[in-house]
Amino acid sequence: MSVTARTCLIITCTRCGEVNDECQAIHADTIDDVRAWFSDWQWSNPDTPELCPGCVADLDCERDGHQWKPWQSATIPGREHIRFRSCAHCSDLEHAA
């Protein structure tokens, strides 16, 4: 029987608390494996991912402004007068009556 040592990592977003991407823990042989797995996260230093992709998008929009899609009318019967739009980058919503 052979034994292989692996590092178990639980990566948590420092802003929203999201854990990893779609799994609770990953097992990596090297930090390069971790970097590849979390390439869409923001890294402030080479060893620690800090912000998940959703928070990176939110902060981009806070800094640079939203990328609003065109206004749309609601499709709920009796509520067609309500209009809404969403941001193409962070998926924030805005509505108007």
Side-chain angles (χ1 to χ4, degrees):
M1 175 171 101
S2 65
V3 176
T4 301
R6 299 189 98 190
T7 303
C8 178
L9 301 170
I10 299 173
I11 307 297
T12 305
C13 178
T14 58
R15 186 169 182 258
C16 73
E18 178 182 331
V19 175
N20 288 337
D21 279 332
E22 287 91 31
C23 58
Q24 288 298 310
I26 64 165
H27 294 86
D29 294 322
T30 68
I31 193 66
D32 289 333
D33 292 343
V34 175
R35 282 190 196 102
W37 187 275
F38 292 95
S39 62
D40 55 349
W41 284 51
Q42 178 177 308
W43 295 66
S44 64
N45 69 56
D47 297 325
T48 309
E50 288 186 284
L51 299 174
C52 69
C55 286
V56 170
D58 289 346
L59 292 172
D60 286 347
C61 286
E62 285 177 18
R63 183 187 63 235
D64 301 326
H66 290 292
Q67 300 170 22
W68 293 115
K69 295 178 184 177
W71 286 100
Q72 299 178 17
S73 296
T75 57
I76 302 168
R79 303 276 186 191
E80 293 86 358
H81 64 283
I82 297 174
R83 295 169 36 89
F84 67 94
R85 64 183 181 170
S86 62
C87 176
H89 188 63
C90 75
S91 299
D92 195 13
L93 292 174
E94 182 175 70
H95 69 278

